[in-house]
Amino acid sequence: MLLLLFKRFFGKTASPKSANTEQNKTPEVIVAQIRQGDDSLREQFISDYRPYIAKVTSRFCKRYVDPSRDDEFSIALMAFNEAINQFSTESGRSFLGFAETVMRRRLIDFVRKEQRHTQSLPYSSFELQDEDEQTYNPIETKQALQAYELKLASDERKMEIHEYSKELESFGISFMELVDSSPKHADSRLMLLGIASTLAGETHLFEHLRASGKLPIKELTELCGVSRKTVERNRKYIIAVSFLLQGSYPYLYDYLNISEQERDLSEGAGR
């Protein structure tokens, strides 16, 4: 199925006629129709949202991603299709918010897998010649690449912390304070992740938070089935994690002790 998607969507642009036909339908309505077995609508829907997928991928990678060449776009394309299969129309969440979360998670998994693969490649003790007949040592080349990747990861981690800290400043939250106040018990952390996931997925609630600086407590208590006291007491953590889920911060999950399994479970809790 995925191979078929790639063949049909790589280099394919949206049909103006079909776009006009579906223009009055929300993504949620279209996904519901697709889930009823309309495969041709699935193909057109994914094709129409290729620019959106490329935008999310480029934002995650912090560089322009070429849909025709970059593996990251392929990963995001598969994740968008996966989101169609997993989205619940009864969740109250927007499909695009949910899809972006799935794409970010799959891209994070891809980056981590690539890093592990690179570190496991065997060294060779033989000198080789390139196409220009220049001699090089693959061990030295590998070591240089590893050193570069470590520095790049360090720089990106610092940039993430800086950008994330700036987002939290307007809410009176410091990054170090957030690390120290992170829930120690897995059950508590999972519950708060579910609340934050709901906030991040509900576009109108998240935009209200960003614009007013106020947490939509009443709406969150109703959507998540938790007490007002729980939301108020954990205000800073919920706000901070919602911004983490909305942004592209692959390195920061570890700082907050959020595992991949907990992120997957929180997605279900937020629905």
Side-chain angles (χ1 to χ4, degrees), residues 97-210:
F98 173 73
E100 182 171 354
T101 299
V102 176
M103 285 188 282
R104 284 202 310 269
R105 290 180 178 178
R106 297 300 168 253
L107 286 166
I108 290 171
D109 292 341
F110 172 75
V111 169
R112 290 177 174 172
K113 182 179 179 180
E114 287 296 297
Q115 289 176 341
R116 288 195 297 268
H117 174 69
T118 300
Q119 292 170 359
S120 66
L121 290 176
Y123 288 98
S124 172
S125 60
F126 299 99
E127 290 189 339
L128 304 174
Q129 286 188 332
D130 59 21
E131 295 179 355
D132 297 325
E133 298 185 354
Q134 297 293 319
T135 301
Y136 70 97
N137 190 309
I139 295 180
E140 294 177 353
T141 302
K142 179 61 181 176
Q143 290 174 337
L145 287 173
Q146 285 184 325
Y148 171 76
E149 289 172 356
L150 288 173
K151 183 180 184 304
L152 183 62
S154 176
D155 291 342
E156 290 181 348
R157 187 179 297 110
K158 291 177 182 177
M159 183 181 299
E160 280 189 11
I161 293 175
H162 176 71
E163 293 179 356
Y164 187 54
S165 297
K166 287 182 63 178
E167 283 197 302
L168 299 183
E169 282 178 4
S170 59
F171 296 93
I173 305 173
S174 70
F175 180 74
M176 292 310 302
E177 175 187 18
L178 174 63
V179 174
D180 294 337
S181 64
S182 176
K184 303 301 184 292
H185 296 289
D187 290 344
S188 297
R189 190 163 56 240
L190 181 59
M191 176 189 64
L192 297 180
L193 282 171
I195 298 173
S197 178
T198 298
L199 176 58
E202 295 290 339
T203 305
H204 67 289
L205 294 183
F206 187 79
E207 291 305 320
H208 170 77
L209 169 66
R210 189 190 292 274

Side-chain angles (χ1 to χ4, degrees), residues 29-97:
V29 170
I30 297 175
V31 169
Q33 292 178 339
I34 294 172
R35 294 286 292 275
Q36 293 174 0
D38 192 337
D39 287 337
S40 62
L41 182 58
R42 178 192 293 265
E43 296 170 6
Q44 186 60 53
F45 182 60
I46 296 176
S47 178
D48 290 342
Y49 276 87
R50 279 173 57 88
Y52 171 77
I53 297 171
K55 178 181 178 181
V56 171
T57 310
S58 295
R59 186 166 58 198
F60 173 86
C61 297
K62 296 182 173 61
R63 62 176 175 80
Y64 171 72
V65 171
D66 187 342
S68 66
R69 295 187 303 175
D70 289 327
D71 290 340
E72 289 85 353
F73 181 81
S74 302
I75 297 298
L77 184 69
M78 288 189 289
F80 190 85
N81 183 61
E82 177 186 347
I84 295 175
N85 296 332
Q86 295 181 351
F87 181 68
S88 172
T89 55
E90 299 177 356
S91 67
R93 297 187 56 188
S94 69
F95 170 75
L96 293 183

